[in-house]
Amino acid sequence: MEPAVVCNNQSNGDDIIQWFEDVSENAELVQTQTLRRILELNWGVEYLKKWLGDVEIDEVDECALESLYTSLVPLVSHADLEPYIQRIANGDSAPLLTQQPMTTLSLSSGTTEGRQKYVPFTRHSAQTTLQIFRLAAAYRSRVYPTREGGKILEFIYSSKQFKTRGGLTAGTATTHYYASQEFKIKQETTKSFTCSPEEVISSGDNKQATYCHLLLGLFFSDHVEFITSTFAYSIVQSFVTFEELWRDLCIDIRDGSLSKRINVPKVRKSVLDIISPNPKLASKIEAACEELEDLDWFGLVPKLWPNAKYVYSIMTGSMQPYLKKLRRYAADVPLVSAEYGSTESWIGVNVDPCLPPEDVTFAVVPTFSYFEFIPLYRHEQDCNLAVDDFIEDKPVPLSQVKVGQQYEIVLTTFTGLYRYRLGDVVEVAGFHRGTPKLNFICRRKLILTVNIDKNTEKDLQIVVERGSQLLSKSRAELIDFTSHADVVNQPGHYIIYWEIKGDVEDMVLGECCREMDASFVDHGYVVSRRSNSIGPLELRIVEKGTFKKILEYFIGNGSALSQFKTPRCTSNNVLLSILNLCTIKRVYSTAYA
Ligand code: AMP
């Protein structure tokens, strides 16, 4: 079922695509086999014994095993498995979730739910990461071929690995991956090397790492074949930093020196070992930046990295709001949306890299995990007693999903998660041979609710998009946003926080606020606004740099910049106090007045 791990460039791409075409064609069978493999590997672990008792696996055929498993093992959330994971973290070495002893735990970003979670990580996790990266690279190189031996400007960051009470290594999944053998194998097999040395990636100081990524990316500018990061946010942030620091970067390129702001000795040494004085390049970049400044940095990517074929990163879901800014930087350089996965498991690959990020879908890789899909239906008018955001049906296997239907994904992984609700809502857009192509819709959890209203991250995103379009009247732009449902003051109401670049008249802000309030189409919200059981929407403008402070707060609590996603709704007291202290203006909606 697995593709050959290492082979070289061109044939490599064709091999892995052929492998994927085959497993997609037979996705139904491959899923049944994948479940059997997971269960064979972990048969007898405490958790499975609890549900499956002493059934002999060898006596059950594949199809019977699938129905036995899904009828006896319950659907769970992370909270249900947490006691087991905590025992593992505390050093219990009995086979609890997996037969192989667990030596590593990953931290999910937690920025979507506000709390980081431990998730099991095994060698299999790093191997599937390598596999999906190679597969995705093969599809990309069909459309956008790159030169062998070229460089990649990667805005990637490891956070610190640490030991749990029981002595297991813990850190983010990306951190484990960058430290793994597989990361080196990826560079060697694709014959493309990241501009920055390992010391920069793992420096532990994101500001210093960003400066070095930019410096080395510029130093190798003619060799850079594409620009990437895990989430689009990091690329945008790095270019915003570039707008501020390009003069210092040019000095370092001219003199072969390194700014004093880089004070981690091993990082300094690793960078200084690479760069050398290049006055000609420095002058070229300076001239380009002076021109770019006048254009408000439109076309920064092609101007500074003339051989870059594309910009590659996760641009869907909560990253969509950064697309506008990224498009300005990239101008005519294509934006390619990266794969869909989570700390728990990789899920799908972008097999149509030439599609714009808004239209991208992810073809599920049926060997990575055993996938189930819970059909979700929106409540219609009856919202009075609704406690949840969707009505659910019984989960179906991958082979039974329907085009146009929305589902929550359930995972059974090689790392010991059994029928685990991921909390993501996806929609089936079509099929790639026999495997579904998914549209990422949003996180399942309701984010904004005061009483009977129900609005998801996606709903909020649409509303903010509409409101912020009016900013163009003032030639201003939205930098970032979040929200909060204030239920302390009566009547409760939504607060949307905006950080904007440029000066905007109060009248325009008032229009933006009104537009957003009127754009929430959820029936519960509309009814409540009409009856004033939800008060007028409030728009709070925060000062420049507020969202950087939020990022720093998360990083200070162990999140990795590579995984950071701005929480689109928060009730976290620290975050709210940062936002409220930084508020410089408040505007109330006049819609429904
Ligand atoms: P983490 O908790 O850091 O592992 O983040 C995983 C979550 O990020 C997923 O469950 C999704 O909600 C989101 N995510 C990952 N990949 C994508 C993608 N390509 N598009 C949209 N959202 C994504």
Side-chain angles (χ1 to χ4, degrees):
M1 247 195 287
E2 306 295 332
V5 172
V6 185
C7 29
N8 58 31
N9 216 12
Q10 192 49 52
S11 65
N12 166 19
D14 290 345
D15 285 358
I16 197 158
I17 288 183
Q18 190 52 53
W19 165 80
F20 184 60
E21 299 293 305
D22 291 346
V23 292
S24 320
E25 185 73 54
N26 301 304
E28 182 174 3
L29 177 67
V30 171
Q31 275 282 275
T32 310
Q33 292 169 342
T34 301
L35 178 65
R36 181 161 198 111
R37 269 191 69 200
I38 295 173
L39 294 179
E40 274 172 356
L41 284 171
N42 296 311
W43 203 251
V45 298
E46 188 177 316
Y47 183 78
L48 286 178
K49 247 190 171 156
K50 176 172 167 191
W51 302 107
L52 296 169
D54 291 322
V55 178
E56 291 290 334
I57 191 168
D58 298 335
E59 288 167 12
V60 191
D61 74 37
E62 261 156 22
C63 290
L65 186 63
E66 196 169 353
S67 53
L68 186 78
Y69 173 74
T70 52
S71 58
L72 293 181
V73 177
L75 294 172
V76 290
S77 63
H78 187 273
D80 300 304
L81 294 182
E82 205 155 11
Y84 293 86
I85 299 176
Q86 202 54 56
R87 276 168 66 192
I88 295 171
N90 291 346
D92 189 336
S93 58
L96 301 178
L97 294 172
T98 54
Q99 284 291 358
Q100 278 272 320
M102 193 75 64
T103 56
T104 313
L105 289 173
S106 286
L107 282 166
S108 72
S109 64
T111 45
T112 37
E113 278 180 19
R115 190 170 65 90
Q116 288 195 296
K117 300 173 293 193
Y118 278 135
V119 174
F121 182 95
T122 64
R123 181 87 203 275
H124 185 272
S125 321
Q127 283 169 343
T128 53
T129 303
L130 171 61
Q131 210 163 313
I132 198 163
F133 283 5
R134 285 185 53 230
L135 181 59
Y139 278 109
R140 287 199 312 277
S141 72
R142 283 188 164 181
V143 192
Y144 307 115
T146 53
R147 292 177 301 183
E148 208 171 87
K151 296 260 183 207
I152 314 170
L153 171 51
E154 288 192 272
F155 294 101
I156 51 178
Y157 309 83
S158 290
S159 59
K160 285 211 166 55
Q161 287 182 320
F162 58 92
K163 294 284 179 199
T164 66
R165 222 170 84 192
L168 280 80
T169 306
T172 60
T174 41
T175 302
H176 298 324
Y177 175 66
Y178 298 137
S180 75
Q181 196 53 27
E182 280 73 15
F183 182 56
K184 294 188 186 76
I185 296 175
K186 187 206 86 168
Q187 305 200 51
E188 278 150 22
T189 52
T190 56
K191 297 205 173 14
S192 311
F193 294 85
T194 190
C195 292
S196 298
E198 203 273 322
E199 289 82 351
V200 169
I201 299 167
S202 65
S203 73
D205 182 311
N206 298 316
K207 281 190 190 146
Q208 296 191 32
T210 300
Y211 187 91
C212 296
H213 286 323
L214 286 166
L215 179 64
L216 293 163
L218 290 167
F219 187 74
F220 292 115
S221 49
D222 282 344
H223 303 273
V224 169
E225 291 292 305
F226 66 96
I227 296 171
T228 183
S229 71
T230 312
F231 287 102
Y233 172 86
S234 304
I235 303 183
V236 170
Q237 276 308 312
S238 302
F239 290 155
V240 169
T241 303
F242 178 80
E243 289 180 26
E244 288 162 15
L245 299 180
W246 64 270
R247 285 189 178 81
D248 293 4
L249 287 158
C250 286
I251 294 173
D252 283 347
I253 290 175
R254 171 163 292 116
D255 301 341
S257 56
L258 187 57
S259 157
K260 282 203 183 70
R261 57 169 65 79
I262 312 302
N263 61 18
V264 180
K266 70 173 179 107
V267 176
R268 284 194 70 81
K269 178 170 181 333
S270 71
V271 175
L272 285 167
D273 281 350
I274 296 173
I275 58 171
S276 52
N278 193 338
K280 212 167 133 198
L281 177 62
S283 304
K284 198 171 127 195
I285 297 171
E286 256 163 15
C289 288
E290 271 152 19
E291 253 179 65
L292 283 166
E293 241 180 356
D294 290 340
L295 298 170
D296 200 15
W297 302 96
F298 179 84
L300 171 150
V301 171
K303 191 92 188 164
L304 297 179
W305 290 280
N307 292 312
K309 313 291 185 297
Y310 53 88
V311 176
Y312 171 61
S313 191
I314 292 176
M315 297 171 190
T316 34
S318 59
M319 293 300 128
Q320 229 168 320
Y322 305 106
L323 269 180
K324 206 165 154 191
K325 185 125 181 125
L326 199 52
R327 278 215 167 94
R328 280 193 65 78
Y329 287 131
D332 56 353
V333 175
L335 300 184
V336 180
S337 198
E339 286 32 70
Y340 173 33
S342 64
T343 306
E344 289 84 345
S345 168
W346 279 104
I347 297 165
V349 59
N350 175 1
V351 293
D352 305 302
C354 52
L355 288 181
E358 289 85 351
D359 299 333
V360 82
T361 59
F362 305 100
V364 176
V365 184
T367 57
F368 282 174
S369 287
Y370 175 72
F371 299 97
E372 292 173 80
F373 296 83
I374 303 175
L376 300 175
Y377 304 93
R378 297 246 176 193
H379 288 274
E380 291 298 327
Q381 306 297 320
D382 172 26
C383 31
N384 290 338
L385 289 171
V387 282
D388 198 0
D389 43 345
F390 294 95
I391 301 170
E392 295 182 358
D393 210 339
K394 269 175 50 189
V396 295
L398 174 145
S399 56
Q400 284 174 30
V401 296
K402 301 227 159 34
V403 174
Q405 173 65 48
Q406 294 196 348
Y407 298 93
E408 179 183 347
I409 296 190
V410 175
L411 300 169
T412 294
T413 69
F414 282 89
T415 56
L417 305 174
Y418 303 99
R419 308 197 78 210
Y420 173 100
R421 304 173 79 127
L422 184 61
D424 283 351
V425 179
V426 295
E427 185 172 307
V428 177
F431 281 87
H432 178 78
R433 297 180 177 253
T435 200
K437 284 203 230 174
L438 309 176
N439 250 324
F440 179 88
I441 303 294
C442 60
R443 294 288 298 171
R444 164 88 195 255
K445 230 175 66 142
L446 261 187
I447 62 163
L448 274 173
T449 179
V450 168
N451 44 46
I452 58 166
D453 51 312
K454 299 177 278 307
N455 281 297
T456 64
E457 178 169 346
K458 184 81 189 175
D459 300 322
L460 175 69
Q461 224 172 54
I462 293 168
V463 161
V464 169
E465 173 71 32
R466 293 194 61 167
S468 63
Q469 271 165 10
L470 304 177
L471 285 177
S472 53
K473 283 187 189 168
S474 308
R475 307 193 64 205
E477 64 172 314
L478 182 65
I479 301 291
D480 222 329
F481 67 93
T482 188
S483 66
H484 171 65
D486 174 8
V487 287
V488 175
N489 300 299
Q490 287 305 317
H493 72 298
Y494 293 180
I495 304 172
I496 297 183
Y497 295 89
W498 276 9
E499 180 175 329
I500 43 188
K501 184 177 169 192
D503 292 324
V504 187
E505 290 161 30
D506 288 359
M507 208 179 74
V508 176
L509 289 177
E511 283 173 34
C512 296
C513 183
R514 185 193 153 85
E515 178 68 22
M516 288 197 287
D517 201 9
S519 298
F520 280 106
V521 290
D522 165 62
H523 186 67
Y525 186 77
V526 174
V527 169
S528 305
R529 282 290 291 116
R530 280 194 195 130
S531 62
N532 205 32
S533 58
I534 294 182
L537 182 119
E538 182 182 350
L539 171 62
R540 291 192 187 174
I541 307 298
V542 294
E543 64 194 21
K544 197 167 163 244
T546 304
F547 281 84
K548 249 193 179 158
K549 285 187 190 158
I550 291 177
L551 168 72
E552 278 158 15
Y553 166 73
F554 275 107
I555 302 288
N557 280 296
S559 289
L561 182 54
S562 297
Q563 274 182 317
F564 180 74
K565 307 170 205 68
T566 298
R568 295 297 175 209
C569 178
T570 186
S571 300
N572 174 319
N573 284 334
V574 181
L575 239 66
L576 286 175
S577 76
I578 297 175
L579 288 161
N580 292 336
L581 278 172
C582 295
T583 296
I584 46 177
K585 206 169 272 181
R586 293 168 171 217
V587 186
Y588 289 90
S589 159
T590 53
Y592 300 98

